Amino acid sequence: QVQLVESGGGLVQPGGSLRLSCTASESIVSINTMGWHRQAPGKERELVAQIIRAGSTIYADSVKGRFTISRDNAKNSVYLQMNNLKPEDTAVYYCWATRIPYNYWGQGTQVTVSS
């Protein structure tokens, strides 16, 4: 069982930046895909960004050019750098990892973008 712990959420003004971190309880070398999902009130959870072991990335259209995902296998961590944040980015952000056939989730961290 992989445990994921997120940090870095908070309140930020529109146009601001935040960096989310997610640290796994064990080595992520064997974890093929890690990423971030988010869920806004009244909406379904959606994929924000993912990164595979080889380093390829996928982003939701709504965050392309503003968010950057990265992983550091030595630190068992994945990061989400969020720039030019918009009010519509407000959501609970969940770290996610998949090691077939299992999916693992963090507890979530709140990101609020408001003036």
Side-chain angles (χ1 to χ4, degrees):
Q1 180 93 13
V2 179
Q3 295 182 341
L4 303 172
V5 179
E6 303 104 332
S7 62
L11 173 64
V12 64
Q13 292 186 343
S17 298
L18 283 175
R19 185 185 191 225
L20 304 183
S21 299
C22 171
T23 301
S25 58
E26 61 182 72
S27 172
I28 64 172
V29 171
S30 64
I31 295 177
N32 184 60
T33 305
M34 298 190 73
W36 295 89
H37 288 68
R38 68 186 180 187
Q39 187 166 19
K43 295 187 177 181
E44 293 186 355
R45 191 174 296 191
E46 63 174 355
L47 175 67
V48 176
Q50 69 178 47
I51 183 168
I52 66 172
R53 193 164 45 202
S56 296
T57 58
I58 293 175
Y59 295 93
D61 287 343
S62 60
V63 307
K64 283 181 181 177
R66 300 188 298 122
F67 291 10
T68 303
I69 189 170
S70 60
R71 63 190 282 172
D72 186 336
N73 289 343
K75 295 183 177 179
N76 300 330
S77 294
V78 64
Y79 308 98
L80 186 68
Q81 178 66 43
M82 305 185 294
N83 297 328
N84 190 21
L85 282 159
K86 303 176 180 181
E88 52 263 41
D89 295 317
T90 295
V92 178
Y93 284 70
Y94 296 91
C95 182
W96 158 72
T98 182
R99 185 166 60 197
I100 298 173
Y102 303 106
N103 286 300
Y104 304 98
W105 294 91
Q107 81 286 355
T109 185
Q110 177 70 46
V111 171
T112 302
V113 185
S114 176
S115 55

